Amino acid sequence: MRPGRGGCVATIGSFDGVHLGHQAILQQLIDKSTEYKLPSVVMIFEPQPQEFFSGEQAPARLMRLREKVEAFLEAGVDQVFCLQFNRSLRSLSADDFIDQVLVSGLNIRCLVVGDDFRFGHDRSGNYELLTKAGNQNGFDVLDTHTLEYQGERISSTRIREALEQANFVLAEQLLGQPFCIAGRVVYGQCLGRELGIPTANVQLHRYRAPLSGVYVVEVLLNDARLPGVANVGVRPTVGDLIKPVLEVHLLDFDEQIYGQRIQVEFKAKVRDEAKFSSLEQMVEEIHKDITVARDFFLSRNL
């Protein structure tokens, strides 16, 4: 069924990370959809507008599209409406966006957005314009709730800053859950296996990752939680990558898991990614990283 066919309650945004602030908005959306007895719809864009305008210079994503949609559905949202953000959509005036997307496309009955929401060509549309259009077209416009933590607004930007500082405790407090990267294990160069340190490789499918370096991680595979050490980066010693990849070495684990989806939960930073003068030096450093990871899990189990 097309989103909004019989009317809907909707919200619009990037929702990168689906953090606690986003979750408060989603709960507000779901509450209103129950009140209006209409489906709840989240409208998002791919690529995210900042990615369309800034490309590789856009802020690193906290979530891929699949993870984001899964988070919406787990929160109880009925439908997700994803619009391709392209030149055609970019050129839409604010009035045309309201008429073509919100009214004709979604048949919106209630829109939940922040009072700082901007949209349309040159970001000319705002909360006041939406309210006026709602009065003319028969839909309500409601302001979203702002959620703060320790006196500051919860935002995707704040979470990126926490991850850059390897402050995974703060990131978890803002996200409402530990920071994870999920994906399917793919074939790589098999260099790690040749060196005696097999890795599970996950393509990140993004220009930049929200963190970079070597980390202690826990990997969720099926119903198991497996300890490991992971590298997020472009492998400068081998020098074969432009976009970052996630490589995970699972401690005391030697099963083939190609094609399986894993979820990698970040626990602590070991070091920055580095370029080594030889493979031997790199292997020596990786063994040190593995020792750090073992010590981390041993200390936690004491």
Side-chain angles (χ1 to χ4, degrees):
M1 183 177 74
R2 188 186 73 186
R5 185 177 179 182
C8 70
V9 178
T11 188
I12 306 172
S14 291
F15 291 95
D16 191 22
V18 193
H19 53 61
L20 287 179
H22 293 146
Q23 292 168 37
I25 294 171
L26 296 178
Q27 188 58 57
Q28 187 179 1
L29 172 75
I30 293 167
D31 291 344
K32 285 298 174 184
S33 74
T34 301
E35 179 183 327
Y36 282 71
K37 296 182 173 59
L38 291 171
S40 56
V41 176
V42 175
M43 179 191 290
I44 55 176
F45 305 96
E46 280 293 324
Q48 293 178 166
Q50 283 184 302
E51 293 170 338
F52 177 85
F53 291 111
S54 303
E56 296 182 29
Q57 302 306 313
R61 276 195 182 215
L62 298 174
M63 270 186 174
R64 290 178 57 194
L65 174 62
R66 174 173 177 157
E67 297 169 88
K68 194 184 297 187
V69 171
E70 288 173 349
F72 291 148
L73 298 180
E74 287 175 8
V77 170
D78 294 313
Q79 299 176 29
V80 180
F81 186 32
C82 183
L83 275 179
Q84 182 181 9
F85 198 93
N86 52 24
R87 291 179 180 177
S88 177
L89 185 61
R90 179 197 181 280
S91 65
L92 274 186
S93 68
D95 288 332
D96 286 341
F97 182 88
I98 292 170
D99 292 340
Q100 296 179 27
V101 178
L102 299 185
V103 177
S104 299
L106 285 178
N107 189 19
I108 210 159
R109 288 292 174 261
C110 179
L111 180 63
V112 181
V113 292
D115 57 13
D116 59 349
F117 178 66
R118 305 302 291 259
F119 65 99
H121 183 62
D122 294 332
R123 294 168 54 86
S124 57
N126 54 25
Y127 188 86
E128 288 71 28
L129 181 63
L130 283 170
T131 302
K132 179 180 178 182
N135 292 333
Q136 296 171 343
N137 292 277
F139 64 85
D140 297 322
V141 181
L142 303 178
D143 189 6
T144 57
H145 300 319
T146 297
L147 199 64
E148 292 187 347
Y149 179 75
Q150 294 181 342
E152 292 184 48
R153 179 175 170 269
I154 297 175
S155 68
S156 301
T157 298
R158 192 176 172 194
I159 295 168
R160 290 188 197 98
E161 292 171 352
L163 293 176
E164 287 174 3
Q165 298 163 8
N167 189 343
F168 296 112
V169 172
L170 177 58
E172 180 174 351
Q173 289 165 336
L174 300 176
L175 285 164
Q177 61 183 14
F179 175 73
C180 299
I181 293 179
R184 195 172 301 280
V185 178
V186 299
Y187 285 96
Q189 285 185 322
C190 295
L191 179 61
R193 187 165 295 277
E194 292 175 12
L195 297 173
I197 313 168
T199 59
N201 296 341
V202 176
Q203 299 291 343
L204 298 182
H205 299 288
R206 58 191 98 185
Y207 290 119
R208 298 166 56 200
L211 34 66
S212 175
V214 179
Y215 299 87
V216 178
V217 299
E218 273 192 323
V219 175
L220 282 67
L221 174 63
N222 300 321
D223 294 325
R225 296 184 71 90
L226 307 172
V229 60
N231 182 80
V232 182
V234 295
R235 300 192 299 203
T237 302
V238 181
D240 63 340
L241 293 177
I242 297 175
K243 293 183 180 180
V245 69
L246 169 62
E247 300 175 295
V248 185
H249 173 72
L250 297 169
L251 306 184
D252 305 317
F253 183 90
D254 195 28
E255 297 179 21
Q256 296 285 0
I257 56 173
Y258 292 117
Q260 296 193 52
R261 281 185 61 82
I262 62 174
Q263 187 169 306
V264 181
E265 188 176 299
F266 291 79
K267 296 297 184 182
K269 186 167 186 177
V270 178
R271 60 174 173 84
D272 292 334
E273 189 175 39
K275 183 174 182 178
F276 300 103
S277 58
S278 66
L279 288 179
E280 290 77 15
Q281 185 185 11
M282 182 181 74
V283 170
E284 181 181 347
E285 195 65 30
I286 292 174
H287 280 295
K288 292 179 182 177
D289 300 334
I290 292 171
T291 298
V292 172
R294 288 189 187 282
D295 290 344
F296 175 89
F297 289 107
L298 282 172
S299 65
R300 199 176 65 166
N301 292 329
L302 290 178

